[in-house]
Amino acid sequence: MKKVKASMMNAIHDLPLLVARDEGFFRDEGLDVEIIKTPGSGQKDSDHQALRANIFDRTMEALYEQGACDQFRMCEWGIMKRAVESNVEKGHRPAKIVALGSAMSTFAIVTDPKAGIYEPEQLKNRPIGVSPFNGSHFTTLKLLEGFLRREQIQTKFAGTMRERIEALKRGEVAAISLMEPWISVAETQGLRVLMESHSTRSEAAGDELDGPTLHKMFLAEAEAAAAIDKNPGKYAHYLVEEAGGMLELKDLKLARILNAPPEPYTRERFQHTYEWTRDWGLVPAGATYENTVDNRAWQ
């Protein structure tokens, strides 16, 4: 059986990975996938290891950098940043984008009703709590650039998901960006969801992980995505557990759990996402489709 080490952070990002392991879908493909859990920002007791300014110092990226895992997934823009910087800057273990999908993590911009904010335009030049270069950061920019000019969107580091909720209640920020299960936690505490969107995941891997093995991994994840879509309530406990007692299963909005089969990362998708992140100053210039993407799983 082929052994693969895959790393993960938060359940909403990695639900198909967990389900594929626990339901035996990886095993059915002849794979022994070890999931290495690293702290993200979504566990109740998370620290700031996953929020360091230098992405290569963050826990999951550092594990990959050291060769402790073969494959990982994050938000599409985070994977883009990691893959681009590892290929245009010297001294890093190269990573390639190997798929789009399969988790479509929900993010929301949340406000405190006491602040009287009812529409995105009211966030003009007001601080919004995020963690830089993570899905909360990228999705906030994406959501708001349809309502405000880029220079009017003000993001601020506000720690983990739980810490962001606390900062919002103290009035230190006008709004915060949250993912599930913390959107549901915020709603149970009377906070207001101003707007929300699904944020696509991407998958990354080093050159050492061959195409046929990746293909089998993605077949298993696709089967897991279908199982989750059929019965999300069966797998919602993975998310509720991360809230550490701050959320009951009945209060989690199952409609926010959305997953899709992994698929090739197209040249058109690369150009659109890379140019967007580059224009925001989030990644360096110099990347190409050829040195950043490898769809070997489908070849």
Side-chain angles (χ1 to χ4, degrees), residues 106-120 122-123 126-130 136 139-140 143-144 154 156 158 160-197 253 256:
T106 303
F107 277 89
I109 295 177
V110 175
T111 64
D112 189 331
K114 296 194 295 291
I117 296 173
Y118 304 98
E119 57 182 0
Q122 289 178 272
L123 295 177
R126 302 185 69 181
I128 302 160
V130 305
S136 64
T139 308
T140 295
L143 283 168
L144 288 178
Q154 304 296 322
K156 176 182 178 180
T160 65
M161 298 288 158
R162 179 179 56 80
E163 289 172 341
R164 286 174 224 177
I165 291 175
E166 294 169 355
L168 179 66
K169 288 181 174 180
R170 291 193 298 266
E172 296 172 1
V173 289
I176 54 176
S177 180
L178 298 173
M179 63 189 180
E180 283 290 30
W182 295 94
I183 306 170
S184 292
V185 170
E187 288 179 316
T188 64
Q189 296 184 13
L191 300 175
R192 172 181 296 148
V193 172
L194 192 65
M195 58 196 305
E196 63 183 273
S197 175
K253 284 198 175 178
R256 291 194 178 113

Short mmCIF file of all heavy atoms in Angstrom, two decimals, residues 106-120 122-123 126-130 136 139-140 143-144 154 156 158 160-197 253 256:
data_model
loop_
_atom_site.label_atom_id
_atom_site.label_comp_id
_atom_site.label_asym_id
_atom_site.label_seq_id
_atom_site.Cartn_x
_atom_site.Cartn_y
_atom_site.Cartn_z
N THR A 106 -16.49 28.15 3.66
CA THR A 106 -17.26 29.37 3.80
C THR A 106 -16.54 30.39 4.69
O THR A 106 -16.05 30.05 5.76
CB THR A 106 -18.64 29.08 4.42
OG1 THR A 106 -19.32 28.12 3.62
CG2 THR A 106 -19.48 30.34 4.49
N PHE A 107 -16.46 31.63 4.21
CA PHE A 107 -15.96 32.74 5.01
C PHE A 107 -17.05 33.82 5.05
O PHE A 107 -17.82 33.97 4.09
CB PHE A 107 -14.69 33.34 4.41
CG PHE A 107 -13.44 32.60 4.79
CD1 PHE A 107 -12.99 31.55 4.01
CD2 PHE A 107 -12.71 32.95 5.92
CE1 PHE A 107 -11.84 30.85 4.35
CE2 PHE A 107 -11.56 32.27 6.26
CZ PHE A 107 -11.12 31.22 5.47
N ALA A 108 -17.10 34.57 6.13
CA ALA A 108 -18.08 35.64 6.27
C ALA A 108 -17.46 36.85 6.93
O ALA A 108 -16.55 36.73 7.75
CB ALA A 108 -19.28 35.16 7.09
N ILE A 109 -17.95 38.02 6.55
CA ILE A 109 -17.61 39.26 7.25
C ILE A 109 -18.70 39.51 8.28
O ILE A 109 -19.89 39.57 7.93
CB ILE A 109 -17.48 40.43 6.27
CG1 ILE A 109 -16.31 40.18 5.32
CG2 ILE A 109 -17.26 41.75 7.02
CD1 ILE A 109 -16.13 41.24 4.25
N VAL A 110 -18.30 39.62 9.53
CA VAL A 110 -19.24 39.67 10.65
C VAL A 110 -19.07 40.99 11.40
O VAL A 110 -17.95 41.47 11.59
CB VAL A 110 -18.99 38.48 11.60
CG1 VAL A 110 -19.86 38.57 12.85
CG2 VAL A 110 -19.24 37.16 10.87
N THR A 111 -20.20 41.57 11.83
CA THR A 111 -20.17 42.81 12.60
C THR A 111 -20.98 42.64 13.89
O THR A 111 -21.73 41.67 14.05
CB THR A 111 -20.77 43.98 11.80
OG1 THR A 111 -22.17 43.72 11.55
CG2 THR A 111 -20.06 44.18 10.48
N ASP A 112 -20.81 43.60 14.78
CA ASP A 112 -21.60 43.64 16.01
C ASP A 112 -22.80 44.55 15.75
O ASP A 112 -22.63 45.71 15.35
CB ASP A 112 -20.75 44.20 17.15
CG ASP A 112 -21.42 44.06 18.51
OD1 ASP A 112 -22.67 44.06 18.55
OD2 ASP A 112 -20.70 43.96 19.51
N PRO A 113 -24.03 44.05 15.95
CA PRO A 113 -25.20 44.89 15.70
C PRO A 113 -25.16 46.23 16.41
O PRO A 113 -25.73 47.22 15.91
CB PRO A 113 -26.36 44.02 16.22
CG PRO A 113 -25.87 42.62 16.07
CD PRO A 113 -24.39 42.69 16.38
N LYS A 114 -24.49 46.30 17.55
CA LYS A 114 -24.41 47.56 18.29
C LYS A 114 -23.69 48.64 17.50
O LYS A 114 -23.86 49.83 17.76
CB LYS A 114 -23.71 47.35 19.64
CG LYS A 114 -24.45 46.43 20.61
CD LYS A 114 -23.88 46.53 22.01
CE LYS A 114 -22.45 46.02 22.09
NZ LYS A 114 -22.35 44.56 21.90
N ALA A 115 -22.88 48.23 16.51
CA ALA A 115 -22.12 49.21 15.72
C ALA A 115 -22.96 49.85 14.62
O ALA A 115 -22.54 50.84 14.01
CB ALA A 115 -20.89 48.54 15.10
N GLY A 116 -24.14 49.31 14.36
CA GLY A 116 -25.03 49.91 13.36
C GLY A 116 -24.52 49.80 11.93
O GLY A 116 -24.75 50.69 11.12
N ILE A 117 -23.82 48.72 11.62
CA ILE A 117 -23.31 48.51 10.26
C ILE A 117 -24.25 47.54 9.54
O ILE A 117 -24.46 46.41 9.99
CB ILE A 117 -21.87 47.94 10.30
CG1 ILE A 117 -20.94 48.97 10.92
CG2 ILE A 117 -21.40 47.56 8.90
CD1 ILE A 117 -19.53 48.46 11.16
N TYR A 118 -24.81 48.03 8.42
CA TYR A 118 -25.82 47.25 7.72
C TYR A 118 -25.43 46.89 6.28
O TYR A 118 -26.07 46.07 5.65
CB TYR A 118 -27.15 48.02 7.68
CG TYR A 118 -27.64 48.41 9.04
CD1 TYR A 118 -27.41 49.70 9.54
CD2 TYR A 118 -28.33 47.51 9.85
CE1 TYR A 118 -27.85 50.06 10.81
CE2 TYR A 118 -28.77 47.86 11.10
CZ TYR A 118 -28.54 49.14 11.57
OH TYR A 118 -28.98 49.49 12.83
N GLU A 119 -24.39 47.54 5.76
CA GLU A 119 -24.00 47.31 4.37
C GLU A 119 -22.48 47.43 4.24
O GLU A 119 -21.82 48.11 5.04
CB GLU A 119 -24.69 48.30 3.44
CG GLU A 119 -24.41 49.75 3.78
CD GLU A 119 -25.15 50.72 2.87
OE1 GLU A 119 -25.89 50.26 1.98
OE2 GLU A 119 -24.97 51.94 3.04
N PRO A 120 -21.89 46.77 3.23
CA PRO A 120 -20.43 46.77 3.09
C PRO A 120 -19.83 48.16 2.96
O PRO A 120 -18.71 48.39 3.43
CB PRO A 120 -20.21 45.95 1.81
CG PRO A 120 -21.42 45.09 1.69
CD PRO A 120 -22.54 45.90 2.24
N GLN A 122 -20.32 50.70 4.57
CA GLN A 122 -20.06 51.31 5.87
C GLN A 122 -18.71 50.89 6.46
O GLN A 122 -18.29 51.43 7.48
CB GLN A 122 -21.19 50.95 6.85
CG GLN A 122 -22.50 51.65 6.55
CD GLN A 122 -23.59 51.24 7.52
OE1 GLN A 122 -24.29 50.27 7.31
NE2 GLN A 122 -23.69 51.98 8.63
N LEU A 123 -18.03 49.96 5.79
CA LEU A 123 -16.71 49.55 6.25
C LEU A 123 -15.60 50.35 5.57
O LEU A 123 -14.42 50.04 5.76
CB LEU A 123 -16.51 48.05 5.98
CG LEU A 123 -17.43 47.11 6.77
CD1 LEU A 123 -17.19 45.67 6.37
CD2 LEU A 123 -17.22 47.29 8.28
N ARG A 126 -12.41 51.49 7.57
CA ARG A 126 -12.56 51.02 8.95
C ARG A 126 -11.88 49.65 9.09
O ARG A 126 -11.92 48.84 8.17
CB ARG A 126 -14.04 50.93 9.33
CG ARG A 126 -14.76 52.27 9.19
CD ARG A 126 -16.20 52.21 9.67
NE ARG A 126 -16.27 52.05 11.11
CZ ARG A 126 -17.43 51.94 11.78
NH1 ARG A 126 -18.59 51.97 11.10
NH2 ARG A 126 -17.44 51.81 13.09
N PRO A 127 -11.24 49.38 10.23
CA PRO A 127 -10.45 48.15 10.36
C PRO A 127 -11.30 46.88 10.39
O PRO A 127 -12.31 46.81 11.08
CB PRO A 127 -9.72 48.35 11.69
CG PRO A 127 -10.59 49.29 12.47
CD PRO A 127 -11.20 50.21 11.44
N ILE A 128 -10.85 45.90 9.63
CA ILE A 128 -11.52 44.60 9.55
C ILE A 128 -10.52 43.54 10.01
O ILE A 128 -9.42 43.43 9.47
CB ILE A 128 -12.00 44.29 8.12
CG1 ILE A 128 -12.94 45.41 7.63
CG2 ILE A 128 -12.71 42.94 8.06
CD1 ILE A 128 -13.06 45.47 6.14
N GLY A 129 -10.86 42.79 11.03
CA GLY A 129 -9.95 41.82 11.62
C GLY A 129 -9.78 40.57 10.78
O GLY A 129 -10.76 39.87 10.48
N VAL A 130 -8.55 40.28 10.40
CA VAL A 130 -8.21 39.10 9.61
C VAL A 130 -6.90 38.52 10.14
O VAL A 130 -6.32 39.03 11.10
CB VAL A 130 -8.04 39.44 8.11
CG1 VAL A 130 -9.28 40.14 7.56
CG2 VAL A 130 -6.80 40.33 7.89
N SER A 136 -8.97 34.21 5.34
CA SER A 136 -9.78 35.33 5.83
C SER A 136 -9.34 36.64 5.20
O SER A 136 -10.17 37.50 4.88
CB SER A 136 -9.68 35.42 7.36
OG SER A 136 -8.36 35.71 7.77
N THR A 139 -10.24 36.45 1.22
CA THR A 139 -11.68 36.48 0.96
C THR A 139 -12.27 37.84 1.30
O THR A 139 -13.18 38.33 0.62
CB THR A 139 -12.40 35.38 1.74
OG1 THR A 139 -11.75 34.13 1.50
CG2 THR A 139 -13.85 35.27 1.30
N THR A 140 -11.75 38.49 2.35
CA THR A 140 -12.23 39.84 2.69
C THR A 140 -11.97 40.81 1.55
O THR A 140 -12.84 41.61 1.17
CB THR A 140 -11.54 40.33 3.98
OG1 THR A 140 -11.96 39.49 5.07
CG2 THR A 140 -11.91 41.77 4.29
N LEU A 143 -14.41 39.98 -1.30
CA LEU A 143 -15.78 40.36 -1.01
C LEU A 143 -15.99 41.87 -1.10
O LEU A 143 -17.01 42.34 -1.62
CB LEU A 143 -16.19 39.86 0.37
CG LEU A 143 -16.52 38.38 0.50
CD1 LEU A 143 -16.62 37.98 1.97
CD2 LEU A 143 -17.83 38.05 -0.22
N LEU A 144 -15.03 42.63 -0.60
CA LEU A 144 -15.25 44.07 -0.47
C LEU A 144 -14.86 44.89 -1.70
O LEU A 144 -15.32 46.02 -1.85
CB LEU A 144 -14.50 44.61 0.75
CG LEU A 144 -15.11 44.21 2.10
CD1 LEU A 144 -14.25 44.76 3.24
CD2 LEU A 144 -16.54 44.72 2.23
N GLN A 154 -9.48 48.34 4.67
CA GLN A 154 -8.46 48.36 5.72
C GLN A 154 -8.52 47.06 6.52
O GLN A 154 -9.48 46.82 7.26
CB GLN A 154 -8.67 49.56 6.65
CG GLN A 154 -8.68 50.90 5.95
CD GLN A 154 -7.33 51.22 5.29
OE1 GLN A 154 -6.28 50.91 5.84
NE2 GLN A 154 -7.37 51.84 4.12
N LYS A 156 -6.72 44.35 9.35
CA LYS A 156 -5.89 44.44 10.56
C LYS A 156 -5.73 43.04 11.15
O LYS A 156 -6.69 42.28 11.24
CB LYS A 156 -6.56 45.36 11.59
CG LYS A 156 -5.85 45.47 12.92
CD LYS A 156 -6.62 46.37 13.88
CE LYS A 156 -5.93 46.45 15.25
NZ LYS A 156 -6.68 47.32 16.19
N ALA A 158 -5.90 40.36 13.69
CA ALA A 158 -6.71 40.26 14.90
C ALA A 158 -6.68 38.87 15.51
O ALA A 158 -7.57 38.48 16.25
CB ALA A 158 -8.16 40.68 14.60
N THR A 160 -6.57 34.72 16.15
CA THR A 160 -7.32 33.52 15.79
C THR A 160 -8.80 33.86 15.64
O THR A 160 -9.24 34.98 15.93
CB THR A 160 -7.15 32.44 16.86
OG1 THR A 160 -7.75 32.90 18.08
CG2 THR A 160 -5.67 32.15 17.11
N MET A 161 -9.59 32.86 15.24
CA MET A 161 -11.03 33.08 15.08
C MET A 161 -11.67 33.52 16.39
O MET A 161 -12.43 34.49 16.44
CB MET A 161 -11.70 31.80 14.56
CG MET A 161 -11.22 31.34 13.21
SD MET A 161 -11.81 32.41 11.87
CE MET A 161 -10.58 32.04 10.61
N ARG A 162 -11.34 32.80 17.47
CA ARG A 162 -11.92 33.18 18.77
C ARG A 162 -11.46 34.57 19.19
O ARG A 162 -12.27 35.37 19.68
CB ARG A 162 -11.50 32.15 19.83
CG ARG A 162 -12.02 32.46 21.23
CD ARG A 162 -11.59 31.39 22.24
NE ARG A 162 -10.14 31.21 22.26
CZ ARG A 162 -9.29 32.02 22.92
NH1 ARG A 162 -9.76 33.07 23.58
NH2 ARG A 162 -8.00 31.78 22.90
N GLU A 163 -10.19 34.88 18.97
CA GLU A 163 -9.68 36.20 19.34
C GLU A 163 -10.33 37.31 18.52
O GLU A 163 -10.54 38.42 19.03
CB GLU A 163 -8.16 36.22 19.15
CG GLU A 163 -7.41 35.39 20.19
CD GLU A 163 -5.93 35.24 19.88
OE1 GLU A 163 -5.53 35.47 18.71
OE2 GLU A 163 -5.16 34.90 20.79
N ARG A 164 -10.67 37.02 17.28
CA ARG A 164 -11.33 38.04 16.45
C ARG A 164 -12.72 38.38 16.98
O ARG A 164 -13.12 39.55 17.01
CB ARG A 164 -11.44 37.55 15.00
CG ARG A 164 -10.13 37.59 14.27
CD ARG A 164 -10.24 36.97 12.89
NE ARG A 164 -9.09 36.10 12.65
CZ ARG A 164 -8.91 35.36 11.58
NH1 ARG A 164 -9.82 35.35 10.63
NH2 ARG A 164 -7.83 34.62 11.44
N ILE A 165 -13.43 37.35 17.40
CA ILE A 165 -14.76 37.60 17.98
C ILE A 165 -14.64 38.48 19.22
O ILE A 165 -15.42 39.43 19.42
CB ILE A 165 -15.46 36.26 18.31
CG1 ILE A 165 -15.84 35.53 17.01
CG2 ILE A 165 -16.71 36.50 19.16
CD1 ILE A 165 -16.43 34.15 17.22
N GLU A 166 -13.66 38.20 20.05
CA GLU A 166 -13.44 39.00 21.26
C GLU A 166 -13.06 40.44 20.91
O GLU A 166 -13.53 41.39 21.55
CB GLU A 166 -12.36 38.34 22.11
CG GLU A 166 -12.78 36.99 22.67
CD GLU A 166 -11.62 36.21 23.29
OE1 GLU A 166 -10.47 36.71 23.19
OE2 GLU A 166 -11.85 35.13 23.86
N ALA A 167 -12.21 40.60 19.89
CA ALA A 167 -11.80 41.95 19.46
C ALA A 167 -12.98 42.74 18.93
O ALA A 167 -13.11 43.96 19.18
CB ALA A 167 -10.71 41.86 18.41
N LEU A 168 -13.87 42.07 18.20
CA LEU A 168 -15.07 42.74 17.67
C LEU A 168 -15.97 43.20 18.81
O LEU A 168 -16.46 44.34 18.81
CB LEU A 168 -15.84 41.78 16.75
CG LEU A 168 -17.12 42.33 16.13
CD1 LEU A 168 -16.80 43.46 15.16
CD2 LEU A 168 -17.88 41.21 15.40
N LYS A 169 -16.17 42.36 19.79
CA LYS A 169 -17.04 42.72 20.91
C LYS A 169 -16.46 43.87 21.73
O LYS A 169 -17.21 44.67 22.30
CB LYS A 169 -17.25 41.50 21.82
CG LYS A 169 -18.14 40.42 21.21
CD LYS A 169 -18.30 39.28 22.20
CE LYS A 169 -19.29 38.26 21.71
NZ LYS A 169 -19.44 37.14 22.66
N ARG A 170 -15.12 43.97 21.77
CA ARG A 170 -14.49 45.08 22.49
C ARG A 170 -14.48 46.36 21.67
O ARG A 170 -14.05 47.41 22.17
CB ARG A 170 -13.06 44.70 22.87
CG ARG A 170 -12.94 43.62 23.93
CD ARG A 170 -11.52 43.53 24.48
NE ARG A 170 -10.55 43.17 23.45
CZ ARG A 170 -10.14 41.92 23.18
NH1 ARG A 170 -10.63 40.91 23.87
NH2 ARG A 170 -9.25 41.71 22.24
N GLY A 171 -14.89 46.29 20.43
CA GLY A 171 -14.92 47.48 19.58
C GLY A 171 -13.58 47.85 18.99
O GLY A 171 -13.39 48.97 18.50
N GLU A 172 -12.63 46.92 19.00
CA GLU A 172 -11.29 47.20 18.46
C GLU A 172 -11.26 47.17 16.94
O GLU A 172 -10.34 47.73 16.33
CB GLU A 172 -10.29 46.19 19.02
CG GLU A 172 -10.12 46.29 20.54
CD GLU A 172 -9.28 45.17 21.10
OE1 GLU A 172 -8.82 44.32 20.30
OE2 GLU A 172 -9.09 45.13 22.33
N VAL A 173 -12.22 46.52 16.32
CA VAL A 173 -12.36 46.48 14.87
C VAL A 173 -13.82 46.68 14.53
O VAL A 173 -14.72 46.44 15.35
CB VAL A 173 -11.85 45.15 14.28
CG1 VAL A 173 -10.34 45.05 14.36
CG2 VAL A 173 -12.51 43.96 14.97
N ALA A 174 -14.07 47.14 13.29
CA ALA A 174 -15.46 47.36 12.86
C ALA A 174 -16.12 46.08 12.41
O ALA A 174 -17.36 45.96 12.44
CB ALA A 174 -15.48 48.39 11.74
N ALA A 175 -15.30 45.13 11.94
CA ALA A 175 -15.82 43.86 11.46
C ALA A 175 -14.70 42.84 11.53
O ALA A 175 -13.53 43.18 11.74
CB ALA A 175 -16.33 43.99 10.02
N ILE A 176 -15.05 41.58 11.37
CA ILE A 176 -14.06 40.51 11.36
C ILE A 176 -14.41 39.52 10.26
O ILE A 176 -15.56 39.42 9.82
CB ILE A 176 -13.99 39.77 12.71
CG1 ILE A 176 -15.38 39.27 13.12
CG2 ILE A 176 -13.39 40.67 13.78
CD1 ILE A 176 -15.39 38.44 14.41
N SER A 177 -13.40 38.80 9.80
CA SER A 177 -13.60 37.73 8.84
C SER A 177 -13.48 36.40 9.57
O SER A 177 -12.50 36.16 10.28
CB SER A 177 -12.56 37.81 7.72
OG SER A 177 -12.75 36.76 6.78
N LEU A 178 -14.50 35.55 9.40
CA LEU A 178 -14.54 34.26 10.08
C LEU A 178 -14.86 33.15 9.09
O LEU A 178 -15.50 33.38 8.06
CB LEU A 178 -15.63 34.24 11.16
CG LEU A 178 -15.50 35.22 12.33
CD1 LEU A 178 -16.75 35.15 13.19
CD2 LEU A 178 -14.25 34.93 13.16
N MET A 179 -14.43 31.93 9.43
CA MET A 179 -14.84 30.75 8.67
C MET A 179 -15.66 29.86 9.60
O MET A 179 -15.72 30.11 10.82
CB MET A 179 -13.62 29.99 8.15
CG MET A 179 -12.72 29.44 9.24
SD MET A 179 -11.18 28.78 8.55
CE MET A 179 -10.38 28.22 10.07
N GLU A 180 -16.28 28.84 9.06
CA GLU A 180 -17.00 27.91 9.91
C GLU A 180 -16.00 27.04 10.69
O GLU A 180 -14.91 26.76 10.19
CB GLU A 180 -17.92 27.01 9.07
CG GLU A 180 -19.19 27.70 8.61
CD GLU A 180 -20.17 27.96 9.77
OE1 GLU A 180 -19.72 28.15 10.91
OE2 GLU A 180 -21.37 27.97 9.51
N PRO A 181 -16.32 26.63 11.93
CA PRO A 181 -17.61 26.78 12.60
C PRO A 181 -17.79 28.11 13.32
O PRO A 181 -18.78 28.32 14.01
CB PRO A 181 -17.57 25.65 13.62
CG PRO A 181 -16.12 25.56 13.99
CD PRO A 181 -15.37 25.80 12.71
N TRP A 182 -16.84 29.05 13.14
CA TRP A 182 -16.85 30.28 13.92
C TRP A 182 -17.89 31.28 13.43
O TRP A 182 -18.32 32.15 14.21
CB TRP A 182 -15.45 30.87 13.97
CG TRP A 182 -14.56 29.93 14.71
CD1 TRP A 182 -13.75 28.96 14.18
CD2 TRP A 182 -14.46 29.79 16.13
NE1 TRP A 182 -13.15 28.24 15.18
CE2 TRP A 182 -13.56 28.73 16.39
CE3 TRP A 182 -15.03 30.47 17.20
CZ2 TRP A 182 -13.24 28.33 17.68
CZ3 TRP A 182 -14.70 30.08 18.49
CH2 TRP A 182 -13.81 29.03 18.72
N ILE A 183 -18.35 31.15 12.19
CA ILE A 183 -19.48 31.99 11.76
C ILE A 183 -20.70 31.61 12.59
O ILE A 183 -21.42 32.47 13.11
CB ILE A 183 -19.78 31.80 10.26
CG1 ILE A 183 -18.54 32.03 9.41
CG2 ILE A 183 -20.91 32.74 9.82
CD1 ILE A 183 -18.71 31.62 7.95
N SER A 184 -20.94 30.31 12.72
CA SER A 184 -22.09 29.85 13.51
C SER A 184 -21.93 30.21 14.99
O SER A 184 -22.90 30.57 15.66
CB SER A 184 -22.26 28.33 13.34
OG SER A 184 -22.65 28.02 12.02
N VAL A 185 -20.68 30.13 15.50
CA VAL A 185 -20.44 30.56 16.88
C VAL A 185 -20.83 32.02 17.05
O VAL A 185 -21.52 32.40 18.00
CB VAL A 185 -18.96 30.35 17.27
CG1 VAL A 185 -18.66 31.03 18.61
CG2 VAL A 185 -18.61 28.87 17.34
N ALA A 186 -20.40 32.86 16.10
CA ALA A 186 -20.72 34.29 16.17
C ALA A 186 -22.23 34.53 16.14
O ALA A 186 -22.75 35.38 16.88
CB ALA A 186 -20.04 35.02 15.02
N GLU A 187 -22.92 33.78 15.30
CA GLU A 187 -24.37 33.96 15.21
C GLU A 187 -25.06 33.56 16.51
O GLU A 187 -26.03 34.22 16.91
CB GLU A 187 -24.92 33.14 14.04
CG GLU A 187 -24.55 33.73 12.69
CD GLU A 187 -25.08 32.90 11.53
OE1 GLU A 187 -24.97 31.65 11.57
OE2 GLU A 187 -25.59 33.50 10.56
N THR A 188 -24.58 32.53 17.18
CA THR A 188 -25.20 32.14 18.45
C THR A 188 -24.96 33.21 19.52
O THR A 188 -25.72 33.29 20.49
CB THR A 188 -24.64 30.79 18.97
OG1 THR A 188 -23.24 30.93 19.27
CG2 THR A 188 -24.85 29.69 17.96
N GLN A 189 -23.93 34.04 19.33
CA GLN A 189 -23.64 35.11 20.28
C GLN A 189 -24.29 36.43 19.88
O GLN A 189 -23.99 37.47 20.48
CB GLN A 189 -22.12 35.27 20.41
CG GLN A 189 -21.44 34.03 20.99
CD GLN A 189 -19.95 34.21 21.21
OE1 GLN A 189 -19.43 35.33 21.14
NE2 GLN A 189 -19.24 33.14 21.48
N GLY A 190 -25.14 36.40 18.87
CA GLY A 190 -25.89 37.59 18.49
C GLY A 190 -25.17 38.51 17.53
O GLY A 190 -25.64 39.64 17.29
N LEU A 191 -24.06 38.08 16.95
CA LEU A 191 -23.35 38.92 15.98
C LEU A 191 -23.99 38.79 14.61
O LEU A 191 -24.72 37.83 14.33
CB LEU A 191 -21.87 38.53 15.95
CG LEU A 191 -21.14 38.70 17.30
CD1 LEU A 191 -19.72 38.19 17.21
CD2 LEU A 191 -21.17 40.15 17.76
N ARG A 192 -23.70 39.73 13.74
CA ARG A 192 -24.40 39.84 12.44
C ARG A 192 -23.49 39.45 11.30
O ARG A 192 -22.38 39.98 11.16
CB ARG A 192 -24.90 41.27 12.24
CG ARG A 192 -25.49 41.55 10.85
CD ARG A 192 -25.93 42.99 10.72
NE ARG A 192 -27.02 43.28 11.65
CZ ARG A 192 -27.23 44.47 12.22
NH1 ARG A 192 -26.39 45.46 11.99
NH2 ARG A 192 -28.25 44.65 13.04
N VAL A 193 -23.96 38.54 10.44
CA VAL A 193 -23.25 38.22 9.20
C VAL A 193 -23.62 39.27 8.16
O VAL A 193 -24.78 39.39 7.76
CB VAL A 193 -23.61 36.82 8.69
CG1 VAL A 193 -23.02 36.58 7.30
CG2 VAL A 193 -23.10 35.75 9.66
N LEU A 194 -22.63 40.04 7.73
CA LEU A 194 -22.87 41.10 6.76
C LEU A 194 -22.88 40.55 5.34
O LEU A 194 -23.74 40.91 4.53
CB LEU A 194 -21.78 42.17 6.90
CG LEU A 194 -22.02 43.49 6.17
CD1 LEU A 194 -23.22 44.22 6.76
CD2 LEU A 194 -20.77 44.38 6.28
N MET A 195 -21.93 39.68 5.04
CA MET A 195 -21.86 39.04 3.73
C MET A 195 -20.96 37.82 3.84
O MET A 195 -20.13 37.74 4.72
CB MET A 195 -21.34 40.02 2.67
CG MET A 195 -19.97 40.59 2.99
SD MET A 195 -19.51 42.06 2.01
CE MET A 195 -19.70 41.50 0.36
N GLU A 196 -21.16 36.87 2.92
CA GLU A 196 -20.35 35.66 2.98
C GLU A 196 -20.17 35.06 1.60
O GLU A 196 -20.90 35.39 0.65
CB GLU A 196 -20.97 34.63 3.93
CG GLU A 196 -22.32 34.11 3.54
CD GLU A 196 -22.88 33.15 4.60
OE1 GLU A 196 -22.56 31.94 4.52
OE2 GLU A 196 -23.62 33.60 5.49
N SER A 197 -19.17 34.19 1.50
CA SER A 197 -18.88 33.54 0.23
C SER A 197 -18.14 32.24 0.49
O SER A 197 -17.50 32.08 1.53
CB SER A 197 -18.03 34.45 -0.66
OG SER A 197 -17.64 33.78 -1.85
N LYS A 253 -24.68 25.69 10.73
CA LYS A 253 -25.44 25.76 9.48
C LYS A 253 -24.85 24.80 8.47
O LYS A 253 -23.80 25.06 7.88
CB LYS A 253 -25.45 27.19 8.94
CG LYS A 253 -26.40 28.10 9.69
CD LYS A 253 -26.71 29.35 8.88
CE LYS A 253 -27.75 30.20 9.59
NZ LYS A 253 -28.04 31.45 8.85
N ARG A 256 -23.60 25.58 4.82
CA ARG A 256 -22.30 26.19 4.56
C ARG A 256 -21.22 25.15 4.28
O ARG A 256 -20.11 25.51 3.92
CB ARG A 256 -21.88 27.06 5.75
CG ARG A 256 -22.71 28.32 5.93
CD ARG A 256 -22.02 29.29 6.88
NE ARG A 256 -22.79 30.51 7.03
CZ ARG A 256 -23.39 30.89 8.16
NH1 ARG A 256 -23.32 30.12 9.23
NH2 ARG A 256 -24.06 32.03 8.23
#
